Amino acid sequence: MTVLQNLSIAKLQEGYKNKDFSVREVVDFFIERIEKHDNKINSFTTTTFDQARKLANMADEKIAKDGPDIIAGNPLLGIPLAYKDIYSTKGVKTTASARVLENYVPSFSSTVVSRLEDAEAISLGKLNCDAWAHGSSGENSDFGPTKNPWNLEYVPGGSSSGSAAAVASEFIIAATASDTGGSIRLPSSFCGVSGIKPTYGRVSRYGVVAMASSLDSMGLIASSVEDLARILEITAGKDFKDATSWDIEVASYSKELNEQVKELRIGIPAEYFGKGLSGVVKEKVDDAIKKFEEQGAQIQEVSLPHSEYAIPAYYIIMASEVSSNLARYDGIRFGNGRDAFGEETKRRIMLGTFSLSSGYKDEYYNKAQEVRRLITKDFTDAFEKVDMLIAPVSPTPPFKLREKTEDPLQMYLSDILTVSVNLAGVPALSLPCGFTQDELPIGLQLIGPKFSELKLFRAGYEYQQLTDWHKRKPQL
Ligand code: GLN
């Protein structure tokens, strides 16, 4: 069999068509890799290998019977994926990496999972994350932290820690993930992979364990913009089971990717390049800015003046919604009781209950909502001048395991460059843009106005044609 490395959806489909390998061979290859290496990484919470092998055999039979053209109508036929463990999967354990749900088996699937299954993707299992998606490092998982495949002493970023680590480790082609305050972009950037946080409401939240419902955005992590585009065009779009999903046409992202954005205007938000930004992160993002400039993009500085209030506003609104969403886990309907909640979850329930309680609501929750409005307006104003913004994802390169666990505030500050995007509900694309001297990945984000996913993909695709950061893989 040909060497299966640096795979992509297109390469797999090509291989299936040319009979270079069968779907079963590909699935066995990934399963073997996971069995060999995931004991070090801990990216999976549950594996569904038997089911995957069965689906692989069925896919091979279909290709044999109907010929390779069947791939055109089944865009993810034979493509191995996995789901962050907050996406409900019918008949397969869905734990949110939380002890409370350790034995919970849903009787239905989330809309995203159903759409991927309809496109004939093959799931290899469920991916570890911070419990209930609360965290920035993956260390809040009740089932042990995920490690960064580039260096096992470092965190992979969170909360979609398993999604990013598994893609970087080449255990799967792509993963579902979610971003409430940065949880797709931060792990993508720490693991050297690409991630899309779509516009709020672009993708259905139905059947995904809710964190903070006005901020949760269902996105994806993959090795390249091209693969993200191929999957987002399947998961995005109106869903009548989620009233906040928008009935706006979904572009054929992957087919329209190749067009250069003409006269692209990129804004550099001054507040994102100030105090606290590590030198090497700045240097790598500056290099990327130069690349865009060389391609003819017009670069100008812009301001998002309320950025400094984003972290306090986010941590009040998010915790308020968390305290309400987690009320249903009362030990009666979903497995274990409330004493099974971890430290960080309890902290958020308490913070949220406090900021919503009478006498404090105006001072905290309502005030935070006012700030949210101002932050949203900052973006609206900026997008009158430019098509998109470019910024680092994290103020620092990946940090070490346990470096920030003792100090929750330090951990919260990892999100300083990501949470505003969620407060404003706009999309952002995270791309690898370099490495530290110690071979740890660094990422940038392109942030656009609502429903500008196609534009972000085009710019990101062009960047990935000119660079090969996204092709680098860790040695396991
Ligand atoms: N790190 C942020 C938090 O802890 C974001 C989490 C997320 O996006 N799910 O809340």
Side-chain angles (χ1 to χ4, degrees):
M1 187 163 78
T2 13
V3 187
L4 293 175
Q5 260 174 338
N6 256 312
L7 285 173
S8 64
I9 298 177
K11 271 197 209 165
L12 281 180
Q13 290 179 337
E14 206 39 45
Y16 296 151
K17 267 191 205 148
N18 299 337
K19 301 209 175 346
D20 296 336
F21 39 69
S22 67
V23 178
R24 179 60 195 261
E25 279 172 319
V26 167
V27 164
D28 282 341
F29 165 82
F30 282 108
I31 291 176
E32 211 173 286
R33 233 179 124 73
I34 296 166
E35 283 176 337
K36 187 155 166 217
H37 297 292
D38 201 43
N39 53 353
K40 306 184 279 241
I41 311 283
N42 197 26
S43 63
F44 278 84
T45 46
T46 300
T47 54
T48 50
F49 294 161
D50 288 342
Q51 179 66 8
R53 289 189 187 103
K54 256 187 236 152
L55 289 172
N57 292 343
M58 279 162 61
D60 281 328
E61 277 162 29
K62 273 187 199 163
I63 297 173
K65 188 164 142 270
D66 300 331
D69 287 344
I70 186 174
I71 293 169
N74 299 273
L76 296 178
L77 184 77
I79 305 299
L81 308 179
Y83 310 128
K84 183 176 183 179
D85 209 2
I86 59 170
Y87 282 77
S88 298
T89 39
K90 186 176 175 181
V92 176
K93 230 165 34 167
T94 299
T95 68
S97 296
R99 193 64 69 203
V100 171
L101 293 183
E102 65 187 339
N103 298 313
Y104 172 59
V105 179
S107 56
F108 68 104
S109 285
S110 52
T111 297
V112 166
V113 166
S114 304
R115 288 186 181 179
L116 294 172
E117 282 174 354
D118 288 348
E120 306 262 3
I122 298 181
S123 169
L124 297 185
K126 306 299 287 287
L127 297 163
N128 202 1
C129 57
D130 287 292
W132 310 105
H134 301 169
S136 313
S137 69
E139 289 163 289
N140 290 336
S141 167
D142 288 346
F143 306 130
T146 302
K147 311 279 175 61
N148 191 319
W150 289 92
N151 184 329
L152 300 177
E153 287 174 19
Y154 286 77
V155 303
S159 67
S160 308
S161 46
S163 304
V167 170
S169 302
E170 299 185 274
F171 292 160
I172 42 175
I173 292 291
T176 65
S178 67
D179 195 309
T180 302
S183 281
I184 289 177
R185 289 162 286 155
L186 200 61
S188 296
S189 122
F190 280 9
C191 291
V193 292
S194 309
I196 178 75
K197 178 255 174 247
T199 306
Y200 179 80
R202 177 73 292 186
V203 178
S204 169
R205 293 180 290 116
Y206 176 75
V208 184
V209 177
M211 178 176 166
S213 307
S214 78
L215 300 159
D216 293 346
S217 173
M218 301 308 143
L220 303 162
I221 295 179
S223 290
S224 68
V225 170
E226 188 186 335
D227 283 353
L228 291 176
R230 281 173 186 264
I231 306 178
L232 189 69
E233 65 199 18
I234 293 163
T235 58
K238 178 71 187 163
D239 172 20
F240 290 98
K241 292 174 182 159
D242 174 1
T244 62
S245 67
W246 284 83
D247 197 0
I248 289 180
E249 204 191 317
V250 180
S252 307
Y253 301 125
S254 64
K255 292 195 188 73
E256 297 176 40
L257 205 55
N258 223 332
E259 252 168 73
Q260 203 191 18
V261 191
K262 296 219 173 64
E263 287 159 33
L264 178 63
R265 296 164 306 161
I266 303 182
I268 303 183
E271 294 79 4
Y272 284 49
F273 288 80
K275 216 171 63 209
L277 183 63
S278 101
V280 58
V281 174
K282 181 170 182 327
E283 181 194 320
K284 300 300 168 190
V285 177
D286 282 345
D287 287 349
I289 294 171
K290 269 187 226 121
K291 273 264 177 291
F292 282 109
E293 209 168 8
E294 281 163 24
Q295 294 309 302
Q298 184 206 56
I299 312 284
Q300 54 173 290
E301 193 171 292
V302 295
S303 174
L304 301 171
H306 297 93
S307 299
E308 62 175 303
Y309 308 111
I311 285 276
Y314 167 78
Y315 272 87
I316 289 171
I317 293 169
M318 174 274 294
S320 303
E321 295 184 19
V322 160
S323 71
S324 156
N325 275 328
L326 293 185
R328 76 189 63 157
Y329 302 101
D330 49 13
I332 299 169
R333 287 163 289 186
F334 298 96
N336 296 329
R338 298 179 75 75
D339 49 348
F341 278 130
E343 280 296 295
E344 180 59 29
T345 312
K346 285 185 192 154
R347 184 178 298 118
R348 293 183 189 217
I349 293 173
M350 274 158 56
L351 269 174
T353 309
F354 178 79
S355 32
L356 288 176
S357 57
S358 83
Y360 295 99
K361 196 168 123 247
D362 284 336
E363 213 174 316
Y364 294 100
Y365 182 73
N366 290 348
K367 184 70 146 214
Q369 292 290 24
E370 286 169 21
V371 174
R372 179 178 194 170
R373 179 99 213 103
L374 295 172
I375 289 173
T376 307
K377 187 167 178 303
D378 283 354
F379 281 99
T380 315
D381 293 347
F383 292 134
E384 274 175 14
K385 302 193 194 95
V386 294
D387 300 299
M388 60 186 71
L389 306 172
I390 189 168
V393 169
S394 161
T396 66
F399 46 90
K400 282 201 161 148
L401 285 150
R402 288 176 297 280
E403 195 176 317
K404 300 193 180 181
T405 40
E406 292 307 307
D407 187 350
L409 277 183
Q410 275 311 312
M411 190 68 94
Y412 296 171
L413 285 173
S414 319
D415 306 327
I416 195 156
L417 304 178
T418 52
V419 295
S420 299
V421 160
N422 302 75
L423 290 168
V426 295
L429 174 66
S430 166
L431 306 170
C433 65
F435 286 82
T436 65
Q437 274 186 345
D438 307 329
E439 281 283 293
L440 290 166
I442 293 172
L444 62 79
Q445 53 181 335
L446 297 175
I447 305 168
K450 286 189 178 169
F451 300 103
S452 65
E453 280 83 356
L454 179 59
K455 225 181 218 184
L456 297 180
F457 281 153
R458 281 175 172 165
Y461 181 74
E462 194 186 341
Y463 178 72
Q464 293 193 333
Q465 300 304 104
L466 302 166
T467 56
D468 63 0
W469 305 117
H470 64 292
K471 292 192 181 139
R472 293 222 206 158
K473 298 288 175 205
Q475 205 66 43
L476 294 187

